[in-house]
Amino acid sequence: DPGESATIRVRGSEHSAWADHFITVGRDSNGEAYVYNPDPAAGDRTLTHGSDAEVRRALAGYDRRTMASGDGTPPRFTIMHHHVD
């Protein structure tokens, strides 16, 4: 089964004025959920991988950091499907 992910723009910290950062949220080819943050701020983890409850807790930490893009539109995201041969 392929994995699937969405890359979401967020503020790098609660004090940032712009959505100048991103996180990736998805499921790997085994169906396990994850949140990947390539450049974590203080208190953020680089990777949260495991139960849906763990991933939901990690995502809750980004709630206040999700914001409209510079033009006032909803946050931009990209959905990718990963195929494993």
Side-chain angles (χ1 to χ4, degrees), residues 44-75:
D44 290 343
R45 294 180 63 186
T46 301
L47 179 65
T48 300
H49 187 255
S51 72
D52 286 352
E54 289 174 289
V55 170
R56 279 194 298 272
R57 278 193 298 274
L59 284 173
Y62 293 101
D63 279 352
R64 291 182 303 242
R65 290 163 50 186
T66 303
M67 60 183 292
S69 296
D71 61 1
T73 59

Side-chain angles (χ1 to χ4, degrees), residues 8-57:
I8 304 167
R9 291 180 60 185
V10 297
R11 294 185 288 175
S13 74
E14 290 186 29
H15 306 290
S16 297
W18 303 102
D20 56 356
H21 192 70
F22 69 89
I23 59 171
T24 300
V25 180
R27 291 196 178 275
D28 64 17
S29 61
N30 294 322
E32 287 194 54
Y34 67 88
V35 177
Y36 173 67
N37 183 340
D39 185 20
D44 290 343
R45 294 180 63 186
T46 301
L47 179 65
T48 300
H49 187 255
S51 72
D52 286 352
E54 289 174 289
V55 170
R56 279 194 298 272
R57 278 193 298 274

